Structure formats: C-alpha cells, structure tokens
Amino acid sequence: MEKIRQFFAQKLNLGSASNESLKVLETVDFDGVMKYIRDGCCKSVVTMAGAGMSTSAGIPDFRSPGSGLYDNLGKYDLPRPEAVFDISFFEKNPQPFFDLARQLYPSELKPTICHRFIRLLEQKGLLLRHYTQNIDTLERAAGVSDERIVEAHGTFHTSHCTGCRQRYDQQWMKDQIFSEDVPKCESCGAVVKPDIVFFGENLPSRFFRLVQDDLKKCDLLIIFGTSLAVQPFASLVDRVPDTCPRLLVNKEKCGRPNLLMRMMGQSGLEFDSSSNYRDVAWLGTCDDGAVAMAAALGWQEELRRLQGEDGARPEEAA
Ligand code: OAD
C-alpha cells in the first residue's frame, strides 16, 4: 500500500510523508549539507572517489569524451578499450598495459586540493573511510592514513609476480615501467603485475571486509569525480542508511540507475526525482568543490596549510 501511495505521490509531485520522516537536511542542497556538517550531525563520513579526483594531478580519467583514456587507445589495436585492463587479455599480451602505464605514470606524485580535503576530514575526526577506485596512491601521498583508505581497485603501491608471487615495491615497478620492458620476476622470470584490480579479478578482501559495517554506520556520503559506471563500487551508494545524505561533487550528474541496476534492486542517486530528500549534486571540479566545502565549513586556513605541506605555495589552495 505504501509503495502505491509513494508511486502516486511521485507522479503528482507531492512530498512523501515517509521521505519527510527520513529527511535530515534542512534544505536539500549544498548549503543544507554544509549546515548538517557544521551542526555536528555527522560523525562517520564515507567518501568515494574516482578518476576525476586526480585529473588535476595530470592523470586522465577513463570516460570523459576526448580526453578520457578509453578514447585514446586507438594505437594499441585492442578488441575494446577496457581490454587494456582485462586480466585474460593481459595474460596473453601484457605489453599494451605497460606501454600505457608508462604514459600515464605521473612525473611527480602530487596530491590535489581535493586529496588534501580528505586528509582534513580525517584530521577533523569525521572520516570513517575513504573508498577509492584510483590506483595512483595520491591519497597516501596526501597523508590520509592507511587504515582510513580502501583502494577498491587495488594500487600501484605494490606488485606481485604472476608466477611465484614474489612482492615488489612501487619504485621497482616504476623503474621497470620506464625501462620499456615488460617487468619480469627476478626469481622465476614470470611477468610481474602491479596489484591493481583488472576486469575479471576480485576486488581486495579488505573492500568486502569493511564495506558492510562502514556503510551501515555512514551518516554522510560524499562522492568525488566518478561516473559510477563500474560495479560493485557504484552500488555502495545504495548501501548507506535511508537517512544518510549523499553529496556528489563531479563535473556531471551521474549515478542514476539504468535498467540493469534497477533489476538488481539498486536505486542509485535521485537528484531530480520529486521524492528526493537527500541527494545533492555540486557540479564542477573536485578541487573547486573541496575549496567550496572548506569555505562553507570555515576550514580554508587548514586546507591551505595542508596544501602547502609539500612545498607548494599555500596560495595554490585558494
Ligand atoms: P570515469 O572516467 O568513468 O569517470 C570520471 C568522472 O569524473 C566523470 O563523470 C567526469 O565527468 C568526472 N570528472 C573528470 N574530471 C573531473 C574533475 N576535475 N572534477 C570533477 N569531476 C571530474 O572514471 P571512474 O569513475 O573512476 O576500473 O572509473 C571507474 C573505473 O573504470 C576505474 O577504476 C577503472 C575504469 O575501467 C578498472 O580499471 C578496473
């Protein structure tokens, strides 16, 4: 009966009484979310990140038309762009992946303002966990502590031999990548692969171990720079409590469910639905979003200081 009532409430653009009881934001907009933080209503913020968070560090994203990685793989003669990250393709032909890694490897690992903002959330005691799809280790470089980070698609931080499983560190892999050879194990001669998750591989056990409890506890979800196109990562937005506000900071609105997601019981983000009571989209770059949040929360000075930490001029954060 409630479902039927909600259906008609949506169609007739009426507020839903049950949604009203779940609403914790005074206003369902950026200012409302900032007030919710300022008023101390959230203590367990979960952040989710994608490639858009690192583009200002010089690393391209995947799906932006023109500049995204998947639009620029023509010379590799791949069956489809995603094959470069497909484990069965890699097993047969690892060369395109390492060619690409050489091109993509940032000359210096300098975190963005948005990465610093995640660190600031941690320093404020608000960050429960940062789930990232990025493999660039910029969260670590920004000083977010290991315990707060879940690298859902793995990381370049470590690598393993695909034969004997010998472990190699980031510098070793970087040297190999720039030597233009496919990295081979010093013990057994098999290919060494960075510990990033390829299509066809499982996400790290740490992801599955933490996700359940973290998202149950989450009282504010902030999503930075991702198209929410890849599962199971994208489904995290559905796993927070119904009362949890969800703020997307991205160049475009995303996260609305497609037919397949609906069939899997996912509802995604609902910005434009008349029954929306908790989803807010802030459209722009992650860095500008982080600066806007810091301004609204009175944290500008601290963000500036963090940005200046590794020698950058403090004004760069403003
Ligand atoms: P995508 O390239 O799919 O999405 C990046 C999103 O960030 C897009 O919505 C862009 O509009 C937005 N964007 C780009 N620059 C931005 C900026 N400076 N500020 C704010 N938004 C910006 O990248 P992901 O969602 O991270 O997986 O992709 C998810 C996964 O797909 C990756 O982890 C990778 C890929 O296949 C694997 O390889 C397993």
Side-chain angles (χ1 to χ4, degrees):
M1 197 60 187
E2 176 58 16
K3 281 221 161 94
I4 298 172
R5 198 195 61 71
Q6 276 187 13
F7 174 81
F8 281 109
Q10 273 181 28
K11 288 287 164 213
L12 298 170
N13 214 3
L14 302 173
S16 151
S18 57
N19 284 356
E20 277 305 312
S21 68
L22 296 170
K23 184 175 166 189
V24 296
L25 298 176
E26 270 177 34
T27 53
V28 187
D29 55 19
F30 183 76
D31 291 343
V33 178
M34 293 305 108
K35 182 164 191 316
Y36 176 75
I37 302 175
R38 276 198 312 271
D39 289 350
C41 301
C42 56
K43 304 263 179 288
S44 303
V45 178
V46 171
T47 48
M48 291 169 65
M53 189 157 153
S54 293
T55 51
S56 66
I59 305 168
D61 70 7
F62 295 88
R63 297 179 179 80
S64 282
S67 62
L69 197 61
Y70 290 153
D71 263 2
N72 290 286
L73 296 173
K75 64 178 165 192
Y76 296 115
D77 197 23
L78 299 164
R80 60 202 160 76
E82 288 85 352
V84 76
F85 294 113
D86 187 308
I87 193 62
S88 47
F89 184 84
F90 178 86
E91 281 162 3
K92 281 183 236 119
N93 182 8
Q95 189 78 52
F97 168 77
F98 287 110
D99 283 352
L100 191 66
R102 191 161 43 255
Q103 283 181 42
L104 294 182
Y105 213 99
S107 50
E108 70 173 325
L109 284 175
K110 186 162 183 275
T112 68
I113 297 169
C114 190
H115 290 96
R116 307 289 187 184
F117 182 79
I118 306 295
R119 166 103 189 274
L120 192 48
L121 277 176
E122 180 181 5
Q123 285 184 345
K124 296 280 178 189
L126 294 177
L127 183 70
L128 174 60
R129 210 80 64 189
H130 176 69
Y131 286 82
T132 181
Q133 297 165 99
N134 299 343
I135 55 179
D136 52 35
T137 69
L138 288 181
E139 289 87 358
R140 293 166 189 260
V144 182
S145 57
D146 286 0
E147 118 194 58
R148 296 287 156 199
I149 305 173
V150 175
E151 289 161 326
H153 291 172
T155 169
F156 261 100
H157 192 59
T158 52
S159 299
H160 281 87
C161 169
T162 53
C164 70
R165 304 301 301 154
Q166 181 163 324
R167 186 178 191 270
Y168 292 89
D169 66 17
Q170 190 163 0
Q171 187 58 46
W172 184 91
M173 179 51 79
K174 186 177 177 189
D175 293 344
Q176 297 295 310
I177 286 173
F178 284 97
S179 77
E180 305 205 4
D181 287 329
V182 169
K184 296 281 173 57
C185 178
E186 288 166 4
S187 300
C188 76
V191 173
V192 180
K193 173 184 158 298
D195 292 342
I196 66 174
V197 178
F198 278 49
F199 290 113
E201 290 188 303
N202 276 333
L203 271 58
S205 55
R206 178 174 164 78
F207 174 86
F208 295 106
R209 199 171 59 246
L210 292 176
V211 85
Q212 195 86 359
D213 259 18
D214 282 356
L215 293 173
K216 250 189 248 158
K217 286 186 201 147
C218 173
D219 47 21
L220 174 63
L221 181 69
I222 313 181
I223 306 150
F224 290 101
T226 173
S227 60
L228 290 172
V230 172
Q231 299 289 356
F233 193 87
S235 69
L236 299 190
V237 305
D238 271 307
R239 297 176 65 166
V240 296
D242 288 344
T243 47
C244 174
R246 302 179 295 191
L247 171 65
L248 172 76
V249 177
N250 206 46
K251 277 190 178 169
E252 56 182 354
K253 272 188 199 168
C254 57
R256 283 159 290 190
N258 57 30
L259 187 62
L260 184 67
M261 287 163 72
R262 284 191 195 283
M263 283 162 66
M264 285 159 55
Q266 295 175 20
S267 13
L269 302 171
E270 299 186 87
F271 313 108
D272 301 321
S273 142
S274 57
S275 56
N276 176 28
Y277 62 95
R278 60 162 167 168
D279 292 339
V280 173
W282 189 94
L283 298 184
T285 69
C286 290
D287 288 343
D288 287 348
V291 170
M293 279 189 264
L297 299 169
W299 299 353
Q300 298 105 307
E301 199 43 53
E302 288 147 290
L303 187 60
R304 268 195 206 107
R305 239 179 281 130
L306 283 180
Q307 184 63 3
E309 243 179 22
D310 61 359
R313 285 180 305 116
E315 312 82 75
E316 281 175 14

